[in-house]
Amino acid sequence: MFRLLLCSPIARSFFNTQHPLFFSSYMTELLEIQAPNPTMHVLLIPGNPGIVTFYNDFVESLYEELGGKASITAIGHISHTNKDWEHGRLFSLEDQINHKIDFIAHELQNKSAPIILVGHSIGSHIASEMFKRASQKVIYFIGLYPFLALNSKSSKQTAIRKLAESSVLCALVSSIVALLGVVPSLSRLIVKTTLGNSWSGAAIDAACSHLLKYHTMRNMLFMAKTEFEKFSEAPDWDFLKANPNQIAFLFGIDDHWGPLSLFEEISKQVPDVSLSIEKEGHDHAFSCTEAGSTWVAQHVAGLIKKHL
């Protein structure tokens, strides 16, 4: 149901598949389903890593939950790709935000359907910035397991931050990861045993084809470094307060990226924002399992239908 092609925007086809798209001088991977007569366009901004094929099951489920009335596009991050199209260049959080804003300007600005932004993890921050800066066409924003502020109580965040701040360690880790990816059968076994036996086939394929690459891992870590730098600042409460009826967040029970302390802070600062807590046992990487993808797609579709 998806498309994947290497071409300029004018050569885009109108059937459903996966594709990398070349615009703004960067090769961009998209995962997309186009509705025949869409009443809305859902634009999904992934977390870090920004590998769109991790969201294969989620995008398909969301399309079905919305009754085929919405075109859905998941847009990948620059250089979080199968091939090193950018020749080793590293891209910051701000680079990725500008890239997504350019996508709306080049690909969606002239389409009649209104835009709904769905961001996952750091994608929630990116989507909120897009909402602020990019387009008058955005009518709703949903943040899934949002990473919007530092969590000082998370030992995992502390460890990742220390790793990301060292260019030497980043290069070393990226080299080791790339070596593991040289043998496909071995890399698949490693992914299944270390990252999760419950992962869907699509998620395992995404990890093996994209994650175990030197350029992808280096960009993941560099982006993480700039995320931590950005989140030394407080969330933009003024923006949330100005748009409470156009924003919704879904939090997880045990999620160090979007802890319940952030849920409580948002509910205190902006009580009119729609807030939910997922209690079904899915985790931050919901899109890596079929069950998580289906449940979150149902939740997102319910929010969209209620809002519209």
Side-chain angles (χ1 to χ4, degrees):
M1 296 187 70
F2 305 103
R3 57 179 178 167
L4 189 59
L5 68 111
L6 299 174
C7 67
S8 66
I10 58 172
R12 284 174 73 164
S13 53
F14 289 92
F15 57 90
N16 301 316
T17 176
Q18 311 163 9
H19 62 279
L21 177 70
F22 187 81
F23 75 96
S24 297
S25 301
Y26 303 121
M27 191 67 71
T28 302
E29 292 189 350
L30 302 180
L31 185 67
E32 185 169 72
I33 303 179
Q34 289 191 359
N37 297 293
T39 59
M40 71 194 89
H41 198 120
V42 178
L43 182 58
L44 171 65
I45 314 301
N48 185 3
I51 299 169
V52 291
T53 44
F54 274 126
Y55 298 87
N56 204 329
D57 295 328
F58 173 71
V59 169
E60 187 170 13
S61 294
L62 183 58
Y63 181 81
E64 293 172 357
E65 290 293 330
L66 292 173
K69 296 179 180 179
S71 290
I72 303 174
T73 302
I75 177 171
H77 297 332
I78 315 169
S79 207
H80 294 216
T81 48
N82 178 266
K83 294 183 179 180
D84 184 11
W85 301 107
E86 309 309 329
H87 309 292
R89 181 177 168 183
L90 300 178
F91 295 87
S92 68
L93 173 61
E94 187 65 21
D95 291 330
Q96 302 292 358
I97 293 170
N98 291 331
H99 170 249
K100 309 305 179 290
I101 292 172
D102 285 346
F103 178 78
I104 288 182
H106 286 84
E107 293 293 304
L108 302 181
Q109 194 64 48
N110 295 324
K111 295 190 176 183
S112 59
I115 298 170
I116 295 173
L117 296 175
V118 177
H120 172 220
S121 190
I122 189 61
S124 297
H125 171 76
I126 294 173
S128 70
E129 290 297 310
M130 294 168 69
F131 195 178
K132 281 191 284 188
R133 309 185 211 171
S135 172
Q136 297 299 319
K137 292 181 63 177
V138 176
I139 61 170
Y140 198 39
F141 158 52
I142 302 170
L144 306 175
Y145 305 85
F147 180 33
L148 302 173
L150 298 181
N151 180 3
S152 60
K153 296 181 180 179
S154 170
S155 58
K156 290 182 180 179
Q157 281 194 28
T158 300
I160 294 171
R161 185 173 189 174
K162 289 181 178 179
L163 168 61
E165 288 174 345
S166 170
S167 58
V168 174
L169 287 178
C170 286
L172 177 61
V173 169
S174 300
S175 297
I176 293 171
V177 165
L179 285 174
L180 294 176
V182 169
V183 183
S185 58
L186 177 60
S187 63
R188 191 172 186 86
L189 176 63
I190 291 171
V191 168
K192 289 189 70 173
T193 55
T194 60
L195 296 181
N197 288 317
S198 64
W199 276 24
S200 66
I204 292 172
D205 290 342
C208 293
S209 63
H210 288 64
L211 201 60
L212 302 182
K213 300 289 179 71
Y214 181 88
H215 70 279
T216 301
M217 185 58 63
R218 283 289 277 128
N219 265 284
M220 285 171 53
L221 291 170
F222 183 73
M223 183 176 171
K225 174 179 178 288
T226 60
E227 290 169 26
F228 290 126
E229 291 171 351
K230 173 62 181 178
F231 290 156
S232 61
E233 308 169 10
D236 189 346
W237 298 120
D238 290 338
F239 166 70
L240 295 179
K241 290 174 182 177
N243 302 276
N245 297 321
Q246 293 176 279
I247 298 172
F249 291 110
L250 173 68
F251 284 81
I253 288 287
D254 186 20
D255 181 9
H256 73 92
W257 295 109
L260 292 183
S261 58
L262 178 60
F263 171 94
E264 293 166 358
E265 184 66 18
I266 293 176
S267 64
K268 181 174 67 175
Q269 294 274 357
V270 199
D272 293 333
V273 164
S274 175
L275 296 173
S276 306
I277 299 176
E278 177 265 301
K279 301 179 181 178
E280 302 297 316
H282 308 300
D283 61 17
H284 187 82
F286 74 91
S287 63
C288 292
T289 68
E290 292 182 7
S293 295
T294 299
W295 189 92
V296 176
Q298 291 171 346
H299 179 80
V300 170
L303 288 171
I304 291 173
K305 291 174 183 177
K306 182 178 179 181
H307 181 75
L308 297 180

